[in-house]
Amino acid sequence: MTLRSADQIREQLEQAIIAAEFADGERLDQMMLSKRYSVSRTPVREALHALSTSGLVEAVPRRGVFVRYPSFIKLVEMFDVMAELEAMCGRLAARRITEDELAHLEDAAAACEWAMEKGDADDYYRENERFHHVLYHASGNSYLAEEASKLHKRLQPFRRLQLRVRGRLAQSMREHREVQDAVTKGDAARAAQALHGHIAIQGEHLNDLMANFAKHRARSASRAS
Amino acid sequence: MTLRSADQIREQLEQAIIAAEFADGERLDQMMLSKRYSVSRTPVREALHALSTSGLVEAVPRRGVFVRYPSFIKLVEMFDVMAELEAMCGRLAARRITEDELAHLEDAAAACEWAMEKGDADDYYRENERFHHVLYHASGNSYLAEEASKLHKRLQPFRRLQLRVRGRLAQSMREHREVQDAVTKGDAARAAQALHGHIAIQGEHLNDLMANFAKHRARSASRAS
DNA sequence: AATAGCAATCTTGGATCCAAGAATGTTGAC
DNA sequence: GTCAACATTCTTGGATCCAAGATTGCTATT
């Protein structure tokens, strides 16, 4: 599908940044990257500037592009917006979800439960992802679904770490079931409220999360060297 | 500040697209644009792909980039999300707005009123813009403010036309005052509800609006030829 | 007359080249 | 010893060049 190396490089850089392979504020050198990906500077340049549009890096004219991890404050803000978007998805989905989508929701929820019982955080994370995307889609608002997905992806590394916090997995699962129940019964207000809480609690626990993230980034950096 | 011609061209193309200077689905030819802006193809290419990231155009690898105006459905969806974001701004602003910002809000509201009394829709539009941006900022959530601004800008041409609908100006003004009152009194729920209604009504009137837009685009196209 | 196949042309995407601004390092003056 | 001025080097941004896929138009065949 994508036969442009600029797009592939953008994709790979995105992954690399999300995986914290670069230090905060580090300059992404075009020459270095073009060697790394065995292409000329042209597609690298395009990829870098594309990334700056989506906010993962900051492009300073004539100086270069620098990776910018969101500050603590910014993260809290982003989780707050995420909570609102998810709540909106829930409210709409409660009214609009189809039988088919309800079945998918149950599938995802069951898979989450199974992962939880196994105590497999990675697997839980994957199925949790599916659960939420079913809801985005079920909102029947494709623009909303798109925006929610984007932000969801952006917050991925921060959310993921939180699942490692003790007891969070079971708690998260209970919240999923509450959401599912509200959506199934068509209770828009309760679905919205449950989803809002489900996300907002992550923002509120950002302190623990940041501590974990720092540890993780330290490990990741030492591996990279 | 911006000393990259690629950025300037992106900006100008954005304006041109918003002003409906291109037909829906039209291919944006790199050669043509590079002549138009008296630069080589390089910055034009970068600008075009940057635009595709923000969704104004669609880039098809090896084929070119094509302008894509949002469909009617998509517009309704976008207004729905905008209503939600504005409501969130209102809810937060009601709790967090400073004395200073309250003064700015009153300034903007008064300017709107004056424009309305003059019957100057363009002026009203400008001040209306200011009113909303004060609210975005007053939410105290810079990420939210940023996202709201982006979507606001994207919807600009569709909103703007609506102010020409008979009686809409006075109605809009009343809604502004209601919002201002709720925010001033710190009534978060009422501020959110008022703002949601203020935006949602625009989405609901999209039918009238689209009729106007079609007329406008026809005029614009004939001027361009 | 319509369509399949092919050739000529056009356009995009990547590589390379060049100019100009930014960073760095050295030297000299105080 | 420190700091300012200047020269050198590095890196980005734009222009140009080249390859490859896409479009178009022509021709020949049915």
Side-chain angles (χ1 to χ4, degrees), chain A residues 80-81 84, chain B residues 81-97 101 105 131-149 152 179 183 187-189 191-193 195-196 199:
Chain A
D80 218 6
V81 172
E84 203 75 17
Chain B
V81 172
M82 187 79 237
E84 204 74 17
L85 291 181
E86 295 252 3
M88 184 179 178
C89 287
R91 184 164 47 248
L92 294 176
R95 292 199 221 105
R96 302 177 176 170
I97 198 165
E101 289 168 331
L105 199 64
F131 183 87
H132 282 276
H133 277 93
V134 171
L135 280 174
Y136 300 161
H137 197 77
S139 74
N141 182 323
S142 65
Y143 179 74
L144 172 61
E146 191 65 37
E147 292 302 304
S149 291
H152 182 94
V179 168
V183 169
D187 189 337
Q193 210 225 323
L195 266 167
H196 193 285
I199 306 301

Side-chain angles (χ1 to χ4, degrees), chain B residues 92-208:
Chain B
L92 294 176
R95 292 199 221 105
R96 302 177 176 170
I97 198 165
T98 65
E99 285 302 318
D100 224 42
E101 289 168 331
L102 266 178
H104 284 147
L105 199 64
E106 168 56 27
D107 270 6
C112 281
E113 202 146 50
W114 174 231
M116 181 199 74
E117 281 163 8
K118 280 191 303 182
D120 185 338
D122 283 339
D123 209 30
Y124 184 88
Y125 184 80
R126 232 187 328 279
E127 302 302 341
N128 169 64
E129 194 105 304
R130 217 173 99 215
F131 183 87
H132 282 276
H133 277 93
V134 171
L135 280 174
Y136 300 161
H137 197 77
S139 74
N141 182 323
S142 65
Y143 179 74
L144 172 61
E146 191 65 37
E147 292 302 304
S149 291
K150 264 195 236 164
L151 185 49
H152 182 94
K153 187 175 179 187
R154 187 92 197 275
L155 291 175
Q156 180 184 318
F158 307 98
R159 205 176 332 97
R160 184 158 198 157
L161 285 161
Q162 193 168 45
L163 288 179
R164 296 199 164 76
V165 172
R166 277 184 48 70
R168 177 70 196 129
L169 230 88
Q171 174 66 19
S172 170
M173 188 65 226
R174 274 194 298 279
E175 290 162 5
H176 277 191
R177 286 301 191 189
E178 164 71 5
V179 168
Q180 186 191 9
D181 185 63
V183 169
T184 305
K185 291 184 176 146
D187 189 337
R190 189 155 59 92
Q193 210 225 323
L195 266 167
H196 193 285
H198 179 55
I199 306 301
I201 198 173
Q202 297 172 8
E204 287 157 16
H205 286 177
L206 264 180
N207 280 308
D208 316 347

Side-chain angles (χ1 to χ4, degrees), chain A residues 165-189:
Chain A
V165 173
R166 276 182 49 71
R168 178 70 196 128
L169 230 87
Q171 174 66 20
S172 170
M173 189 64 227
R174 275 194 298 278
E175 290 162 6
H176 276 192
R177 286 302 192 189
E178 164 71 5
V179 168
Q180 186 190 9
D181 185 61
V183 169
T184 304
K185 292 183 176 146
D187 189 337

Side-chain angles (χ1 to χ4, degrees), chain A residues 4 77 84 91 142-143, chain B residues 49 77 84 91 142-143:
Chain A
R4 277 168 35 100
E77 294 178 352
E84 203 75 17
R91 185 165 43 246
S142 65
Y143 179 75
Chain B
H49 285 110
E77 293 178 352
E84 204 74 17
R91 184 164 47 248
S142 65
Y143 179 74

Side-chain angles (χ1 to χ4, degrees), chain A residues 3-4 42 45-46 49 53 61-62 74 77-78 80-81 84 88 91 140-144 151, chain B residues 3-4 42 45-46 49 53 61-62 74 77-78 80-81 84 88 91 140-144 151:
Chain A
L3 12 76
R4 277 168 35 100
T42 310
R45 253 183 58 185
E46 208 183 297
H49 285 110
T53 309
R62 287 268 166 209
K74 190 72 113 198
E77 294 178 352
M78 290 166 85
D80 218 6
V81 172
E84 203 75 17
M88 184 178 177
R91 185 165 43 246
N141 182 323
S142 65
Y143 179 75
L144 172 61
L151 186 49
Chain B
L3 12 77
R4 274 167 39 99
T42 310
R45 252 183 58 184
E46 209 184 295
H49 285 110
T53 309
R62 286 270 166 207
K74 190 74 115 197
E77 293 178 352
M78 290 165 87
D80 217 5
V81 172
E84 204 74 17
M88 184 179 178
R91 184 164 47 248
N141 182 323
S142 65
Y143 179 74
L144 172 61
L151 185 49

